[in-house]
Amino acid sequence: TGRFLVSHRGEHVNEGGQYGIFGGGIFLNQTPFDDVKQLATSEYPKQHAKQELQEETGYHGPIELVEVFVYKDNKVNAQGVPCDFYYWNYVGICPKEFPISPGEADAWEEGGDSHWLTLQELQQVRPQHFGLKSLLQNATAKLAQFAVSHRDHK
């Protein structure tokens, strides 16, 4: 359809009430990889993204994930040890838009409403989670290409 699924995060979570994308970050020290090059060339980020999408939306149908941007932040854990944080951003291409049922949304710990938005609506929605802001700042041209090339999918 050329639209993008976003979440309006529940008020009870960190950065609640903001619009964001589905997924979960990856801390390099929590993976079986020694360095980011090994991680980036593996299927791990894509598998992680697909699992997060399934958990957060309940969607288990066919989907093609295409990488569009990788967010990186240098974080420090509770023990003061540096641990690099990565968030692979994918566009998921599925045969049609799918609904999020209330039961699945309630099971999602970050709970909130989900919305299918055009790229223009996505750019204008407020307030934006930092991950969505970063994606839009770094990959709007790629998102626009997907929106145009897939807008006729029903």
Side-chain angles (χ1 to χ4, degrees):
T1 64
R3 298 193 318 163
F4 302 90
L5 181 62
V6 297
S7 169
H8 190 203
R9 297 165 62 89
E11 293 292 338
H12 64 282
V13 298
N14 186 28
E15 300 170 352
Q18 298 180 359
Y19 287 89
I21 51 179
F22 291 94
I26 298 173
F27 289 94
L28 182 59
N29 65 342
Q30 295 175 349
T31 72
F33 302 97
D34 295 326
D35 61 51
V36 72
K37 289 179 185 175
Q38 290 176 341
L39 175 62
T41 58
S42 75
E43 286 293 309
Y44 186 90
K46 188 179 283 190
Q47 291 168 350
H48 180 73
K50 187 173 184 178
Q51 179 181 341
E52 289 289 331
L53 179 72
Q54 290 172 342
E55 290 173 2
E56 295 174 2
T57 67
Y59 179 73
H60 294 273
I63 191 162
E64 175 189 355
L65 296 177
V66 180
E67 183 180 316
V68 293
F69 170 67
V70 180
Y71 174 84
K72 180 183 188 263
D73 192 6
N74 298 317
K75 300 229 181 231
V76 177
N77 69 16
Q79 293 76 33
V81 177
C83 50
D84 291 339
F85 172 83
Y86 297 89
Y87 195 101
W88 268 259
N89 290 267
Y90 294 91
V91 169
I93 303 165
C94 51
K96 62 181 181 177
E97 292 180 7
F98 53 87
I100 308 296
S101 75
E104 290 157 348
D106 288 343
W108 178 41
E109 66 184 35
E110 294 179 23
D113 297 327
S114 300
H115 307 277
W116 288 94
L117 303 176
T118 65
L119 180 56
Q120 182 178 8
E121 291 168 332
L122 187 62
Q123 292 170 311
Q124 295 173 353
V125 73
R126 298 287 185 274
Q128 293 178 345
H129 182 269
F130 76 89
L132 177 57
K133 285 181 190 175
S134 181
L135 176 63
L136 291 170
Q137 290 169 353
N138 292 282
T140 296
K142 288 182 182 179
L143 296 176
Q145 289 173 341
F146 283 102
V148 169
S149 63
H150 292 89
R151 81 172 138 224
D152 294 329
H153 289 204
K154 300 292 179 200

